Amino acid sequence: MSTAVAISATGLFTPEQSITNEELVASFNAYVAQFNAENAAAIAAGERAALEPSSQEFIEKASGIKARYVIDKTGVLDIQRMRPDIPERANDAPSVMAEIGVAAAKQALARADRKAEHVDAVICAASNMQRAYPAMAIEIQHALGVDGYAFDMNVACSSATFGIQTAADFVRAGHAKSVLVVNPEICSGHLNWRDRDSHFIFGDVATAVLVEAADIAPQGSWAILGTRLKTKFSNNIRNNFGFLNRADPTGIGKTDKLFVQDGRKVFKEVVPMVSDMILSHLSDLGMKPDELRRMWLHQANANMNRLIAARVLGRDATEDESPTVLDEYANTSSAGSIIAFHRHSNDLQTGDRGLICSFGAGYSAGTVFVAKAA
Ligand code: COA
């Protein structure tokens, strides 16, 4: 029999600066007015299309997002720039991704009453890495003072659940007893803030999950009942930035080097894929939907989450059953379901069961069923 695994604790780092929809739309619309004025002749001659303004009402209705935290608000809202100003640091200074990852990781360790020396491995699982190497995870490992091994993995918005299963497998196989999964997501860096269809979607954050052998997990931990991963190729969410090309810093010329999506198709295709996956995993675990006390779903879109939860439960879920953090955090890629779990799990009782679920680019999806331990 393989070792029983638990989530011992989670950690959350939230940037200090936040942008409301009102501020975001005011900046975007000022950019649109400037663009249309500068290109008035070409627009009048029919050579160029005028840009359309964004609207707060649309954003809130289409996504449920009201605000987003960012590492650098000024750079994002400056209409001559419209991207975060995060200066490069010297090689001997901590990188930004590692810094926010460490903050979340330290909180997870403190909440589990665990010291870094007890941790055997660190996985940095996120949708973008600041550099190719050395791995962000190894920098985080070094900053924390963890022995053992560390590596990065990228499964877009599903990075956290893929990281949790990978960590759980290390524990099940006896390679480690305590593994930190860290998800620093600086989504503001790959969002095209000049694109009306998506400029409102993302925010920045870091989360951490401490996955451990159940026999060393602290009181109040979460037994992992089962994990499952799924991928299916799709071009509907894409980012072509890579080491063989250079990102266009203006985000205008080569927008495919930033986040691009066909949101309608994503919505239509991912909702059935994820709800079917949850239902079949539930059934394989011998559970019924009404035995699920709470679902901590990936936070991409409130309407999507409403539909997925309704397909699982056979009725609309309450906010208590499927809490959202989208209003405050927006889509934070892999970190979203972990923020929801971190913020909305303290009230559950011993034996209560829940689901951490991710979905996103790839397509990729992951389910992690948990039960509150004694
Ligand atoms: N302000 C005002 N109007 C806007 C707008 C904005 N910022 N962005 C788009 N619109 C307009 C469009 O031009 C369109 O107008 P039309 O009907 O006259 O053509 C209309 O609003 C609907 O646009 P559409 O893009 O079809 O909206 P939508 O209802 O599909 O919502 C998403 C857009 C992106 C919020 C939604 O498709 C979604 O969330 N999909 C899931 C994607 C996802 O979660 N991806 C994350 C990766 S994990």
Side-chain angles (χ1 to χ4, degrees), residues 25 28-29 52-59 61-65 156-158 195-202 236-237 259-268 270 298-304 331 333 359-361 363-364:
V25 168
F28 183 87
N29 289 352
E52 298 285 330
S54 185
S55 102
Q56 278 186 69
E57 295 69 34
F58 171 84
I59 294 171
K61 191 161 171 280
S63 69
I65 295 165
C157 288
S158 285
D195 174 35
R196 175 177 178 255
D197 290 348
S198 62
H199 75 115
F200 53 88
I201 288 182
F202 287 114
N236 292 330
I237 315 173
F259 167 87
V260 281
Q261 74 165 350
D262 184 334
R264 278 270 159 109
K265 284 195 187 150
V266 173
F267 201 110
K268 266 179 110 169
V270 171
H298 171 48
Q299 305 282 311
N301 175 294
N303 300 322
M304 228 170 150
N331 182 344
S333 197
F359 43 87
Y363 297 131
S364 57

Side-chain angles (χ1 to χ4, degrees), residues 8 40 48 110 132 288 334:
S8 289
R48 197 158 216 175
K288 300 219 161 46
S334 73

Side-chain angles (χ1 to χ4, degrees), residues 52-177:
E52 298 285 330
S54 185
S55 102
Q56 278 186 69
E57 295 69 34
F58 171 84
I59 294 171
E60 200 173 325
K61 191 161 171 280
S63 69
I65 295 165
K66 296 181 186 167
R68 70 283 298 142
Y69 292 99
V70 288
I71 299 281
D72 176 51
K73 178 171 177 170
T74 311
V76 167
L77 294 183
D78 174 359
I79 64 166
Q80 310 310 337
R81 183 178 175 89
M82 295 180 88
R83 65 194 160 90
D85 187 1
I86 304 176
E88 277 193 48
R89 296 179 180 181
N91 285 357
D92 57 3
S95 55
V96 184
M97 258 186 84
E99 194 172 88
I100 67 173
V102 164
K106 281 187 172 163
Q107 198 188 92
L109 289 175
R111 285 163 65 111
D113 201 16
R114 191 74 75 225
K115 297 254 178 319
E117 68 224 45
H118 300 127
V119 176
D120 303 310
V122 177
I123 298 172
C124 179
S127 52
N128 283 280
M129 295 300 162
Q130 196 167 338
R131 59 169 182 263
Y133 44 80
M136 304 311 305
I138 301 177
E139 188 181 353
I140 294 169
Q141 172 196 12
H142 174 70
L144 291 171
V146 168
D147 199 6
Y149 61 96
F151 62 92
D152 294 344
M153 56 186 278
N154 172 346
V155 199
C157 288
S158 285
S159 298
T161 54
F162 276 61
I164 291 170
Q165 173 164 313
T166 305
D169 285 345
F170 290 151
V171 176
R172 288 172 188 136
H175 296 305
K177 288 206 90 153

Side-chain angles (χ1 to χ4, degrees), residues 141-365:
Q141 172 196 12
H142 174 70
L144 291 171
V146 168
D147 199 6
Y149 61 96
F151 62 92
D152 294 344
M153 56 186 278
N154 172 346
V155 199
C157 288
S158 285
S159 298
T161 54
F162 276 61
I164 291 170
Q165 173 164 313
T166 305
D169 285 345
F170 290 151
V171 176
R172 288 172 188 136
H175 296 305
K177 288 206 90 153
S178 178
V179 184
L180 254 177
V181 181
V182 187
N183 323 107
E185 293 284 9
I186 306 185
C187 300
S188 61
H190 69 96
L191 179 56
N192 182 357
W193 296 92
R194 289 187 170 92
D195 174 35
R196 175 177 178 255
D197 290 348
S198 62
H199 75 115
F200 53 88
I201 288 182
F202 287 114
D204 300 338
V205 81
T207 52
V209 182
L210 186 64
V211 176
E212 300 193 306
D215 60 358
I216 63 161
Q219 227 189 351
S221 63
W222 296 82
I224 295 181
L225 304 175
T227 60
R228 186 166 289 177
L229 310 178
K230 169 111 188 126
T231 51
K232 188 174 188 293
F233 185 72
S234 166
N235 268 324
N236 292 330
I237 315 173
R238 216 173 152 112
N239 180 335
N240 284 334
F241 175 71
F243 80 101
L244 295 180
N245 58 49
R246 282 161 180 258
D248 175 356
T250 65
I252 292 175
K254 300 173 187 162
T255 48
D256 70 319
K257 305 300 182 291
L258 296 164
F259 167 87
V260 281
Q261 74 165 350
D262 184 334
R264 278 270 159 109
K265 284 195 187 150
V266 173
F267 201 110
K268 266 179 110 169
E269 293 172 6
V270 171
V271 167
M273 173 180 157
V274 171
S275 42
D276 290 352
M277 181 175 170
I278 295 172
L279 285 168
S280 74
H281 195 183
L282 252 178
S283 152
D284 291 349
L285 289 170
M287 283 168 64
K288 300 219 161 46
D290 62 7
E291 291 175 74
L292 266 185
R293 174 68 185 83
R294 192 161 290 164
M295 281 179 271
W296 301 280
L297 298 179
H298 171 48
Q299 305 282 311
N301 175 294
N303 300 322
M304 228 170 150
N305 283 11
R306 209 166 293 138
L307 264 177
I308 290 171
R311 286 173 74 126
V312 170
L313 296 180
R315 57 169 173 82
D316 285 342
T318 62
E319 175 65 21
D320 183 65
E321 290 168 322
S322 175
T324 182
V325 299
L326 266 170
D327 50 344
E328 183 182 342
Y329 283 87
N331 182 344
T332 50
S333 197
S334 73
S337 56
I338 307 301
I339 306 173
F341 177 62
H342 179 88
R343 296 267 293 252
H344 298 284
S345 53
N346 278 346
D347 58 317
L348 266 56
Q349 308 295 316
T350 301
D352 280 347
R353 294 171 186 198
L355 165 69
I356 298 170
C357 174
S358 72
F359 43 87
Y363 297 131
S364 57

